[in-house]
Amino acid sequence: SLACGEWGSGRMIEPSELTHEILSHFERRASPSRAPSLRVVITAGGTREYLDPVRCLTNASTGATGRTIAEHLLQRGHEVSYFHGEGTQTPPAHERLTLHPYISARDLEHSLLTHLRTHKIDVVIHSAAVSDYTLSTRFATKLDSGRPLRLD
C-alpha cells in the first residue's frame, strides 16, 4: 500500500524486483567489445538535514540497492558516477567508478546538476532516500535539549 494507507500504482516495487529489471535492461545493452558502453549516474543512501551542528533529520537508508546496481554495471563494463550520502555503502574501488559524497538534499541537487551539466550521461538511476523535509534556517549553535522544538 501507499504511505497514505491506500493502494495504487504509485507504490514502489520491491527493491529486488527493481534491481532485477534495471540489471536486465543493462544486460541487453552490454557489449564486451565496447567498454564502457554506458555512462551511468546512480544516487544512493539518505540525506541529512541538520537542525544545528550536532542534530539532524535523516533516515536509515544504507544505499544497498544503489551499491548492488553499481557493482553489476561496473562488472559489465559501464562507467558509474556514484553519488552517496554519509555512511552509505559504496562499491569497491574500480577504474570506471567515481564517488561523489553528499550530505543534504541541497548538496545532492547541486552536485548532481553540476555533474549533469559538465558530463555526458546516458542513464540516471535515483535510488537515494532524499529527505521529505528541509529547514529554512539552520541553528548556528547546539540547541538546548530542554527547549521545545516545533517543526512546521
Side-chain angles (χ1 to χ4, degrees), residues 14-70:
E14 292 302 317
S16 59
E17 293 176 54
L18 178 62
T19 301
H20 173 76
E21 289 298 319
I22 292 169
L23 296 177
S24 294
H25 171 78
F26 284 104
E27 287 286 335
R28 293 187 296 271
R29 295 282 312 259
S31 169
S33 62
R34 287 185 337 189
S37 48
L38 291 173
R39 290 170 297 269
V40 182
V41 164
I42 298 174
T43 65
T47 59
R48 293 183 183 188
E49 305 302 325
Y50 279 88
L51 302 166
D52 65 23
V54 296
R55 294 183 183 92
C56 65
L57 299 174
T58 190
N59 59 59
S61 175
T62 64
T65 298
R67 186 209 63 226
T68 300
I69 293 168

Side-chain angles (χ1 to χ4, degrees), residues 92-125:
H94 194 286
E95 64 184 17
R96 289 186 303 276
L97 172 68
T98 56
L99 299 176
H100 304 270
Y102 61 81
I103 297 172
S104 69
R106 192 169 286 131
D107 293 338
L108 172 59
E109 178 184 33
H110 180 294
S111 182
L112 188 56
L113 289 175
T114 299
H115 189 79
L116 293 173
R117 281 188 209 107
T118 58
H119 294 79
K120 181 172 175 13
I121 302 299
D122 300 305
V123 178
V124 177
I125 299 171

